[in-house]
Structure formats: structure tokens, C-alpha cells
Amino acid sequence: MPDSVQTIFKEFVKKHAMIFTDRNALTSHFAPDTIPHRDKQINMLASILAPSLKGGRPSNVFEYGMTGTGKTLVTKYVGQELEKMSNQGTTPVKILYINCKMKKIADTEYRLVAELARMLGQDVPMTGLPTEQVYQIFFNILDSKEWIVIIILDEVDALVAKMGDDFLYNFTRINQDLKKAKVCIIGITNDLNFIDVLDPRVKSSLSEEEILFPPYNATELQDILKQRVKLGFHKGVLSEEVIPKCSALAAQEHGDARRALDLLRVAGEIAERRNDEKVTEKHVDIALEKIDYDRIVESVKALPKQTKVVLWAIINLIEKGEDDIQTGDVFAVYEEKCKECRLHPLTQRRISDLLAELDMIGIINAKIISLGRYGRTRQIKLDLSSKTKQKIKNILESTLVI
Ligand SMILES: Nc1ncnc2c1ncn2[C@@H]1O[C@H](COP(=O)(O)OP(=O)(O)OP(=O)(O)O)[C@@H](O)[C@H]1O
Ligand SMILES: [Mg+2]
């Protein structure tokens, strides 16, 4: 290895050791041992699920709250504890966790049911069987013994956006046909309007019990960060204003612990890269800008052409001063834009799907709202700084306009 490369690596190792002890503890995949400020939700969920240990079917649960409020963390934690406990008892409890936003797993009914069957130990080909048959295979393995199967459908709104609510309806009623097994469904969402657009029958069976995850306030976020700082940072490298600042910024948005953690980690990374000995407020400011900018810009660059045109249409509407933008409005401008870039326009239905995708990536916010008997539409918002918006517009125009 040439000397210069060695020097870079050595310098990195040296610097790395200066700021972080374990960077991993500051990523959102890390599951801490204790979960501060969620006792109420943990205890509620544990009490709802506890009857499973004696062979009873727990009520279905609907969990909701803004992004980063600990829904996934708490649910997985209680699930793991329950499985541990059931291993010591007589009634087996099995937890099946599905993130409905995951591509290739939860994008069609077939794939989802096949995945659930696989999780229960029954292999199903990825494609090729009639969906009915996949259901039958799943049903057979599910009812093959006396156990309680708890199916966690995380980000369940994505599932309904992709395949309607029939699927959920069937699933919440599945117990009627089971002889040995009992199923409990936990649906999780951060889309607070979601439950209102569900078919009332699905709504009532999914939300036998409801658990709200309120946003964290700045003080609570500080506690969450302090716990991670002990695990991830060297002692004394954080200036004292860093934790309060990351917490305040994240609390201002919507009490999002993920964002607070990201800010803290990226601030640390920036300090490290600049070879600074301490992480300060200044690094948090840069982190804030960097996080938003990077995420959005990178995902816009990677969009397929048609989706870019849809986004372009939205930005145009916003620049015209529209503040109540719905699917139909986007579609009208999209059609014009297609002419400009000589693309064949897709149908309004497809545009609605593309809006859902943009929402999933987090570039726009597209809440489904019910229009009563006129069906549903999406209400579209774009919460970006003007600098980011301008950058996106430049990217779109440079790649779309011929
Ligand atoms: N009370 C807490 N204590 C420690 N860490 C937490 C707490 N709440 C959330 N976190 C951390 O914040 C991040 C986001 O939490 P989580 O994924 O559970 O949020 P969520 O409510 O599921 O969000 P989304 O709706 O976006 O899926 C994770 O890294 C998690 O470990
Ligand atoms: Mg989650």
C-alpha cells in the first residue's frame, strides 16, 4: 500500500477514535436496551398481548403517531419479550413482523401472503401460483398447530395504498375460519388520517384497541439522546449545547427521535471529518442543512422520468401560489408538462400511484383524504426550504427539458 493511502487510513482511524466510540449506537437501526418515555405505550401493549401466554387471542391493536415516535421500536421490543416469555410456557406465541413499505415483500397480496407463510416455515414460490392457492398454503401452515400468531403490519397505510383494504378485512376476520391457531393483528401507521379512510368494518376490527404515540418534547428527546451519547461518543467530546440543540430542532418539527439522532450523528461525523476535537452547535447547523438537502436531492436524481414530471408539476403549482393541491390539479399540470418534454402521459390513476411513491420516499407529503361518496384523493404538500426546492427544480429541468 502506498504511504499516502496508509496515512489516510491511519488518520481516519485516529480521528474516528476521537469522536465516536460506537457510531452504530447512533443509527436508527440500533435498538437500545431501555426505551425512555414510552412506559405507558409499552405497558399498554404488553397488557393487551399478555393473554396470548395463556392461549387467549389478544385484541387487534392499532398504533398511530407521527414519524420517529418509537412505534416500531416499542412494538418490536414488546414482541421480543413476549416471545421470550412464551418459550418458557406452554402456549407458543409467534411474532411475524412485516414492514409494508418493503419492496418485493409487501407490494402484492401474493408476495405478502407468501412471505407470511415463509415466516411460518412453509416455502412458497415467489410467483406462479394462483393467489387463492397461496392463501390456502398460508392458512394450512397457520392452522397446523395450537398457537397464537401475532402479525405486525408496520406502515400498514402503505399496504392499503397498494392493495386496498379488502386484504386487511380478510385478515382481521381470519379467526372465524381457524380451528387451532389464533391470530392477532397489530397495524402501525404514522398517517394520522389513515384510519378515517378505512372501510368502517375494517376500522372496527383493526382498532379493537388503539395506542397513541405522542410526539416527544425537547426534554424527552434529550433523555433519549443522552442514552445514546453514552454508548456512542467519547466522553467529553460534545459541547454542552449540542444535545439541547438537536433535541430542540427535532421537537420543533414533530418530536421525531429519528431526526434528533440523525442530527447528532451527522454533527459528529462532520466534526470528525474536519478533524475538530469537539462537536459544537456549528456542526449541528451544518448537519441540519446537510441531512435535508442530501436526502431529497439524492432521491430526486434517482426518480424515474414520469415521476420526475409529476414532481415538476407539483413544484409548478406551488410556485403559482396554490396551497390546496390535490391529485386532479397535479394531473392537469402533469399533462401539460408531458407535452413540453414529449412524453406520453399516463392515466390519472397511475399518477395517483406515483404520488404515493413520492410520499413513500418522503419527497412530498400526500395524505389520502376521503371525499365521501366521490371516493378519495390525495392532498399534496411539499415541506422544503426554498434552496432545496430550487435545486430540485434545476435537476428536474436539466433532465426533463429537451
Ligand atoms: N423512547 C425512545 N428511546 C430510545 N430511542 C428511541 C425512542 N423512541 C424512538 N427511538 C429511536 O428513534 C428512531 C425512530 O424510532 P421508531 O423507528 O420506533 O419510530 P416510528 O414511530 O416507528 O417512526 P415511523 O413512523 O417513521 O416508522 C429509532 O432509531 C429508535 O431507536
Ligand atoms: Mg416505524
Side-chain angles (χ1 to χ4, degrees):
M1 197 158 34
D3 278 357
S4 59
V5 177
Q6 283 226 345
T7 316
I8 293 173
F9 290 161
K10 275 184 193 151
E11 277 293 303
F12 178 84
V13 174
K14 205 172 96 198
K15 272 191 253 167
H16 196 75
M18 274 161 32
I19 300 282
F20 294 108
T21 47
D22 179 11
R23 196 185 147 280
N24 190 33
L26 294 149
T27 60
S28 53
H29 307 293
F30 181 85
D33 291 341
T34 54
I35 307 177
H37 303 295
R38 281 298 173 249
D39 288 353
K40 189 173 157 202
Q41 289 73 15
I42 292 173
N43 293 344
M44 240 176 118
L45 185 58
S47 318
I48 296 167
L49 300 183
S52 61
L53 293 166
K54 290 196 167 175
R57 181 188 83 81
S59 302
N60 294 331
V61 190
F62 179 61
E63 298 179 10
Y64 61 105
M66 304 279 249
T67 187
T69 51
K71 301 179 296 297
T72 301
L73 180 66
V74 163
T75 313
K76 282 186 164 174
Y77 169 78
V78 175
Q80 276 160 12
E81 291 299 307
L82 183 67
E83 267 186 335
K84 261 192 234 163
M85 190 74 177
S86 93
N87 289 339
Q88 298 163 18
T90 46
T91 317
V93 178
K94 177 90 182 155
I95 309 277
L96 308 183
Y97 173 88
I98 296 267
N99 184 327
C100 302
K101 275 197 182 165
M102 287 268 282
K103 289 227 164 73
K104 298 220 169 99
I105 289 180
D107 37 12
T108 63
E109 215 168 324
Y110 184 111
R111 284 193 166 151
L112 178 63
V113 179
E115 179 64 20
L116 289 169
R118 260 195 297 274
M119 286 174 160
L120 292 176
Q122 177 74 56
D123 247 355
V124 181
M126 281 294 276
T127 51
L129 300 178
T131 307
E132 278 297 302
Q133 200 178 334
V134 187
Y135 264 107
Q136 198 55 52
I137 295 173
F138 168 64
F139 192 87
N140 291 345
I141 179 83
L142 179 65
D143 210 19
S144 63
K145 59 177 168 181
E146 285 184 11
W147 57 356
I148 312 286
V149 178
I150 299 177
I151 304 177
I152 303 172
L153 297 173
D154 202 350
E155 322 235 15
V156 62
D157 49 300
L159 190 84
V160 173
K162 281 184 271 193
M163 42 184 124
D165 46 20
D166 283 358
F167 171 84
L168 265 186
Y169 182 71
N170 295 336
F171 253 66
T172 48
R173 305 285 159 126
I174 202 166
N175 286 296
Q176 294 170 353
D177 302 319
L178 292 168
K179 296 204 167 56
K180 294 183 185 158
K182 290 173 186 158
V183 170
C184 153
I185 309 280
I186 302 181
I188 307 178
T189 185
N190 58 27
D191 182 346
L192 305 186
N193 291 325
F194 168 73
I195 199 86
D196 296 330
V197 300
L198 278 181
D199 179 311
R201 295 168 310 166
V202 183
K203 182 179 163 181
S204 69
S205 42
L206 179 61
S207 55
E208 288 171 338
E209 297 278 355
E210 290 188 5
I211 306 183
L212 166 69
F213 286 69
Y216 295 112
N217 63 33
T219 321
E220 291 169 339
L221 288 172
Q222 288 202 32
D223 291 337
I224 293 171
L225 292 187
K226 280 179 193 156
Q227 176 196 46
R228 302 291 183 96
V229 166
K230 274 192 208 140
L231 299 169
F233 280 99
H234 271 290
K235 237 181 160 173
V237 293
L238 291 192
S239 306
E240 67 183 47
E241 71 279 5
V242 169
I243 293 180
K245 176 142 187 166
C246 293
S247 309
L249 284 169
Q252 255 168 35
E253 287 219 350
H254 45 256
D256 174 349
R258 187 182 295 113
R259 189 163 171 83
L261 279 165
D262 284 346
L263 279 167
L264 185 61
R265 189 192 63 253
V266 175
E269 286 166 354
I270 292 168
E272 185 182 80
R273 220 167 298 139
R274 296 179 164 203
N275 210 4
D276 293 338
E277 279 174 12
K278 275 202 155 220
V279 187
T280 64
E281 211 171 341
K282 180 185 73 189
H283 298 115
V284 180
D285 287 333
I286 307 171
L288 178 68
E289 220 171 281
K290 184 173 165 14
I291 288 174
D292 289 348
Y293 192 79
D294 283 3
R295 184 179 62 84
I296 304 276
V297 167
E298 283 314 307
S299 42
V300 169
K301 278 187 193 158
L303 292 175
K305 208 163 191 178
Q306 287 282 0
T307 320
K308 279 187 177 146
V309 183
V310 175
L311 182 59
W312 196 23
I314 297 171
I315 293 184
N316 261 261
L317 282 162
I318 288 169
E319 290 192 334
K320 278 188 201 148
E322 300 282 344
D323 54 5
D324 181 20
I325 303 173
Q326 298 185 4
T327 313
D329 309 320
V330 177
F331 185 65
V333 180
Y334 158 82
E335 279 189 309
E336 284 169 28
K337 292 289 171 198
C338 279
K339 275 189 208 140
E340 264 181 62
C341 37
R342 295 190 205 143
L343 267 181
H344 189 71
L346 303 171
T347 60
Q348 180 157 340
R349 209 198 135 90
R350 272 295 290 150
I351 297 312
S352 181
D353 293 343
L354 297 185
L355 288 170
E357 280 170 27
L358 281 169
D359 183 33
M360 257 190 241
I361 307 167
I363 298 177
I364 64 166
N365 193 325
K367 295 250 178 276
I368 298 176
I369 51 171
S370 170
L371 299 176
R373 62 197 173 94
Y374 299 107
R376 298 170 186 173
T377 184
R378 290 175 200 277
Q379 195 168 46
I380 294 134
K381 293 216 160 60
L382 193 72
D383 294 323
L384 304 175
S385 71
S386 55
K387 181 185 161 205
T388 316
K389 208 181 322 165
Q390 190 56 45
K391 173 76 181 177
I392 291 179
K393 202 174 154 203
N394 295 346
I395 295 173
L396 294 175
E397 286 177 350
S398 68
T399 51
L400 290 173
V401 180
I402 306 159

